[in-house]
Amino acid sequence: MKKILVVATSNPGKLLEIQDYLTDLDLELQLKPDELEIEETGETFSENACLKASQVAAAMGQWAIADDSGLEVEALEGAPGIYSARYGHSDRNRIERLLFELGNELNREARFVCAIAIARPDGSIALQTEGICPGEILHSPRGNNGFGYDPVFYVPEQQMTFAEMTPELKKSVSHRGKAFQVLLPKLQKLDFGF
Ligand code: ITT
């Protein structure tokens, strides 16, 4: 019988990416019920990822994986950071606010951070990793792929925004991709029989 892993996110963009990283594993992925909402009271991405994975796992009595991620902008002293989701009421509104706050600031340096945590059915944390992708904030959006802040996050090495990349390219360079590169070999060795 396949082991069940609950994907503890309500963000459809994230969900698609997480499902894609996990397709080759012998796991049955389940969605978290919408009504199960976890308050993100942690002070770091890792704390929030652990909190979400742990609480969803314990509530459902199943293994769970959670992602806490966000954008840190140097000229805004790391904002929006762990508050990236709460920075506005829609992806468009969050991007507008970010561009407004940055204005004509010359320092456009930023980085995306992604913390992933996997919890056992009793809520204890079995694995956690973090991935970082450096980049710059453009003055206006470019590209139609991806989600969230992707259209304004430019990766100089690829000379593209995340939203201009194919899902495969974003997967190989992104913060989430880097977190999963470290996580997947460990996940394969994990004893889901606990
Ligand atoms: P869950 O907690 O239910 O997973 P959420 O959207 O609230 O969903 P976070 O608290 O981790 O998730 O917030 C992440 C924010 O950062 C959110 O606004 C995303 O749009 C943004 N973000 C994270 N990864 C991103 C990516 O790869 N591309 C663009 N934006 C991203």
Side-chain angles (χ1 to χ4, degrees):
M1 209 176 72
K2 275 194 178 184
K3 305 291 181 205
I4 292 171
L5 181 64
V6 179
V7 184
T9 181
S10 308
N11 182 318
K14 254 192 205 182
L15 178 64
L16 278 180
E17 291 192 10
I18 294 174
Q19 282 173 324
D20 190 44
Y21 290 109
L22 298 172
T23 44
D24 291 341
L25 297 175
D26 197 23
L27 291 171
E28 181 185 326
L29 301 183
Q30 273 188 11
L31 298 185
K32 166 185 89 69
D34 275 348
E35 58 274 17
L36 183 56
E37 281 193 46
I38 312 300
E39 218 189 323
E40 296 181 24
T41 52
E43 288 178 7
T44 61
F45 293 108
S46 295
E47 274 176 37
N48 281 333
C50 290
L51 214 88
K52 287 188 263 189
S54 178
Q55 292 191 22
V56 169
M60 299 185 66
Q62 303 278 11
W63 285 79
I65 183 168
D67 162 316
D68 198 66
S69 43
L71 184 64
E72 293 182 335
V73 180
E74 199 173 89
L76 302 178
E77 292 165 355
I82 58 166
Y83 303 105
S84 293
R86 291 164 264 185
Y87 207 52
H89 55 73
S90 64
D91 281 348
R92 189 188 167 137
N93 181 252
R94 284 184 271 267
I95 288 178
E96 278 169 4
R97 175 163 176 205
L98 176 67
L99 296 182
F100 174 78
E101 303 278 353
L102 264 179
N104 287 327
E105 170 65 50
L106 293 178
N107 176 7
R108 316 291 294 190
E109 299 280 318
R111 57 184 211 163
F112 258 122
V113 182
C114 173
I116 307 271
I118 294 192
R120 303 181 184 92
D122 67 358
S124 61
I125 297 297
L127 286 178
Q128 51 176 316
T129 56
E130 202 169 286
I132 291 173
C133 178
E136 294 163 17
I137 304 301
L138 293 183
H139 288 266
S140 54
R142 267 171 44 181
N144 299 308
N145 298 335
F147 67 99
Y149 298 90
D150 281 352
V152 287
F153 188 77
Y154 179 79
V155 183
E157 263 178 41
Q158 312 297 329
Q159 300 190 11
M160 277 184 224
T161 65
F162 271 174
E164 291 175 311
M165 295 182 189
T166 60
E168 292 70 36
L169 184 57
K170 182 181 172 191
K171 197 174 169 182
S172 69
V173 299
S174 77
H175 50 313
R176 189 162 296 103
K178 287 177 183 159
F180 270 98
Q181 278 158 28
V182 181
L183 185 85
L184 283 175
K186 295 183 184 173
L187 188 55
Q188 273 152 351
K189 288 190 203 132
L190 207 63
D191 178 12
F192 280 88
F194 176 82

